[in-house]
Amino acid sequence: MSDRVSLLAVAVAGRGVVDPAEPVLRADDEALLRGRAAFETIRVYGGRPFKLVEHLDRLAGSAERIGLPEVNRLELEQLAQQALDAAATQDAVLRLYWTPTPVALALVNELGDHYDALRERGQRLISLRGVRADEPWLLPGVKSTSYAVNMAAEAEAKRQGADDAVFVDSAGTVLEGPTTNVWWRRERTLCTPSLDLGILAGVTRATVLELAGESGYTVEEGQFGLTELLAADEAFTSSSVREVMPVTELDGAPIGRGPAADELQAALRRAAGATLPA
Ligand SMILES: Cc1ncc(COP(=O)(O)O)c(C=O)c1O
């Protein structure tokens, strides 16, 4: 089950579509030197990026918080369309980057089929100590390219035989995954950590919040301990690429499968107007 998927197309500001093998950044771009750039990862359904406006809003907010020049939304939208046209694929992953130079980039990657296989089986998670971004300089809610820590947590989870991690703070409060938001169900109530905890305001999290209400669930956003997640009737994660993904094990303890993850995954696909089966 490899996460490696191929890069199908790249579009760069001022140049348009380029060969994916071509260099696109200057050597002194702080995106490279310091991990100081904003980015977004967006799911493409039927050739259309889902919730593009919301992703561009978050990108603009991240860029402002990192102190980058103002995001040129129109340029990024055009680059996204050029890259998607060049990739000529229906279901894919679109990544948008905004660097300090500034350089705007749109990348289209293949989606791969490993996420659907993982959704069938359910994910095994381990809890790992993470940093609660409760000071402005810890950049709460910012999606920057300083993701080495997130990737190291994912690698540690895999090293321990799990699929992914969930970060908890030093008091055991559940935060988020390295690239996901975390949810669980107690009877008809869905719980998810609140944005006050400095976690990323997931675009999928916001969509699931809406869909949960429509599906008859009550949602509680708050500060919850790991024991509450361990005692859940079911649990799942949300993210643009992995969508709604059931969790079947946490720190070696089984968590039951339940209806909410499947219902919300189906509702998400309907909302995306997807042609794929849910
Ligand atoms: C730390 C973190 N939390 C949550 C998410 C989920 O956000 P979204 O639903 O916008 O993909 C991501 C996405 O990459 C993330 O990196």
Side-chain angles (χ1 to χ4, degrees):
M1 213 183 264
S2 162
D3 281 356
R4 294 216 176 278
V5 285
S6 53
L7 181 58
L8 298 174
V10 178
V12 191
R15 291 167 66 188
V17 174
V18 299
D19 182 332
E22 271 199 31
V24 291
L25 289 183
R26 290 171 49 129
D28 62 354
D29 193 313
E30 286 209 347
L32 175 69
L33 301 187
R34 306 271 190 205
R36 235 182 111 243
F39 82 107
E40 285 296 320
T41 307
I42 305 163
R43 176 72 149 84
V44 176
Y45 297 94
R48 292 185 310 276
F50 184 52
K51 301 271 177 187
L52 181 60
V53 170
E54 288 80 354
H55 282 284
L56 286 170
D57 286 346
R58 189 170 66 189
L59 185 73
S62 297
E64 193 184 337
R65 299 290 310 287
I66 308 171
L68 306 183
E70 193 179 336
V71 163
N72 185 337
R73 300 171 71 110
L74 184 62
E75 183 173 58
L76 277 162
E77 276 174 47
Q78 287 168 347
L79 292 173
Q81 196 52 58
Q82 288 169 12
L84 285 168
D85 290 347
T89 180
Q90 295 292 296
D91 296 290
V93 177
L94 169 67
R95 290 198 168 83
L96 301 178
Y97 290 84
W98 185 253
T99 86
T101 311
V103 170
L105 293 177
L107 275 59
V108 178
N109 275 90
E110 219 172 52
L111 183 62
D113 54 10
H114 50 282
Y115 293 126
D116 282 337
L118 190 55
R119 199 176 340 276
E120 278 285 301
R121 155 160 89 67
Q123 316 173 80
R124 294 186 287 261
L125 301 187
I126 58 160
S127 60
L128 293 177
R129 178 76 58 82
V131 175
R132 180 160 161 181
D134 51 5
E135 300 287 358
W137 55 88
L138 297 175
L139 299 176
V142 169
K143 197 164 165 76
S144 83
T145 52
S146 299
Y147 254 45
V149 166
N150 303 47
M151 296 302 100
E154 210 179 277
E156 175 62 16
K158 294 206 162 108
R159 198 189 62 76
Q160 293 191 32
D163 300 300
D164 204 354
V166 52
F167 288 126
V168 294
D169 72 4
S170 52
T173 303
V174 182
L175 300 172
E176 63 190 330
T179 61
T180 64
N181 291 112
V182 179
W183 299 76
W184 59 97
R185 181 180 60 81
R186 262 189 347 241
E187 300 180 344
R188 296 296 296 173
T189 302
L190 297 178
C191 300
T192 194
S194 119
L195 299 183
D196 301 347
L197 294 165
I199 60 171
L200 192 75
V203 171
T204 320
R205 180 185 181 281
T207 308
V208 170
L209 267 170
E210 270 177 43
L211 298 172
E214 289 164 21
S215 304
Y217 292 100
T218 306
V219 179
E220 249 182 60
E221 296 174 81
Q223 181 164 329
F224 304 102
L226 194 64
T227 47
E228 292 174 73
L229 171 50
L230 278 162
D233 295 331
E234 74 172 291
F236 56 90
T237 59
S238 69
S239 85
S240 299
V241 174
R242 299 177 197 204
E243 305 172 284
V244 175
M245 186 71 84
V247 175
T248 47
E249 197 181 293
L250 174 61
D251 292 335
I255 298 185
R257 291 292 283 250
D262 292 345
E263 281 167 30
L264 291 164
Q265 170 64 13
L268 177 66
R269 288 271 174 104
R270 278 196 301 275
T275 49
L276 294 168

